[in-house]
Amino acid sequence: MAESVRCSVQGCEGPAAGSLEVHSFCREHFIFTCYEELDECSRWQEARLSPDRTSESVRQFLGECYRQVAQFASNVKEFTGLERAQLIDILLRATDLSRQLRQSPRLAASIPVQLHCEEPGGTWEEQTQTKQLSPHGALLKCQHPVRAGEILLVVRLDTERQVQARVARRQRKIGGVQEIGIEFLNRDNFWGVDWSAAEAVVLRA
């Protein structure tokens, strides 16, 4: 008889009830992981632009989430009242994220910019390039230490347009360069992108 699949979380001996992104999980860890991943998708969606997420990876996760919860629905009597409520909450959050994803596109683009910081005791400037754009911000590399909430002046080196932005998220992987997500304080299509197009195009004129 084939050995039953176990939860992939270290130290958990529970039987697998579902899977996400090629990992198997028991009911408890499936629900926990869904919430963790939904939080990560939400941060990306809110213009914080998590470097660990792309629009395609968000779509894939949400699709998996839908399928697994639908599968659980056929065995709903096996779940406790709390677990059923959590699954409904997960489904509602995934639905809302899917709707927002359609409304707020992301675009991989390398645009040269200069960052200016005039915080007391921490004035600096740095030339860098964007990695991703959104209607409300960007993901880019930054070598200077920054903190969440810090205000930067962003200058496009190709058009000389300027905008103030708030550091919404920062992350540095081991051995890697720091990446930050910035959120504009005003939202006047700073990037000059036709976001309504089927494939967004950067307008440089």
Side-chain angles (χ1 to χ4, degrees):
M1 180 180 296
E3 184 179 354
S4 61
V5 179
R6 295 289 177 180
C7 178
S8 61
V9 174
Q10 186 175 5
C12 180
E13 297 295 326
S19 63
L20 289 169
E21 299 177 327
V22 308
H23 297 291
S24 299
F25 298 101
C26 65
R27 294 197 318 234
E28 178 183 355
H29 285 118
F30 173 84
I31 290 171
F32 177 81
T33 302
C34 275
Y35 276 119
E36 276 198 329
E37 294 298 319
L38 286 169
D39 286 343
E40 182 69 26
C41 292
S42 292
R43 287 190 289 271
W44 179 88
Q45 187 64 41
E46 292 167 1
R48 291 173 173 81
L49 297 165
S50 164
D52 295 327
R53 282 291 177 189
T54 64
S55 59
E56 185 57 32
S57 73
V58 171
R59 287 191 182 94
Q60 289 178 355
F61 166 74
L62 294 176
E64 275 193 294
C65 199
Y66 280 125
R67 289 190 294 272
Q68 290 294 321
V69 173
Q71 181 178 334
F72 291 156
S74 61
N75 299 309
V76 69
K77 292 183 179 180
E78 297 181 6
F79 291 83
T80 67
L82 174 59
E83 288 172 335
R84 289 196 291 271
Q86 289 172 323
L87 290 173
I88 292 172
D89 182 49
I90 287 169
L91 187 59
L92 291 174
R93 287 188 60 182
T95 300
D96 185 57
L97 279 167
S98 293
R99 176 182 57 80
Q100 294 181 40
L101 183 62
R102 291 192 297 271
Q103 294 176 348
S104 184
R106 297 295 189 274
L107 173 65
S110 179
I111 295 179
V113 297
Q114 187 159 32
L115 305 178
H116 296 265
C117 176
E118 296 184 356
E119 294 285 326
T123 301
W124 54 265
E125 63 180 32
E126 173 183 336
Q127 290 189 11
T128 185
Q129 291 186 326
T130 63
K131 294 187 65 179
Q132 290 181 3
L133 312 181
S134 85
H136 313 307
L139 173 70
L140 42 79
K141 295 180 180 180
C142 179
Q143 297 185 6
H144 284 81
V146 295
R147 64 181 185 278
E150 193 167 333
I151 304 300
L152 304 176
L153 177 67
V154 183
V155 181
R156 284 184 62 166
L157 297 179
D158 56 345
T159 66
E160 298 186 352
R161 293 189 68 192
Q162 302 182 7
V163 68
Q164 283 192 315
R166 180 180 66 86
V167 177
R169 180 177 173 83
R170 59 181 293 273
Q171 179 166 330
R172 184 192 298 275
K173 295 183 178 179
I174 297 176
V177 177
Q178 174 184 247
E179 293 181 337
I180 63 173
I182 59 172
E183 187 176 41
F184 300 146
L185 300 186
N186 52 42
R187 304 182 176 186
D188 62 341
N189 197 10
F190 177 71
W191 299 120
V193 172
D194 182 3
W195 296 104
S196 64
E199 293 185 1
V201 176
V202 179
L203 305 177
R204 299 181 183 275

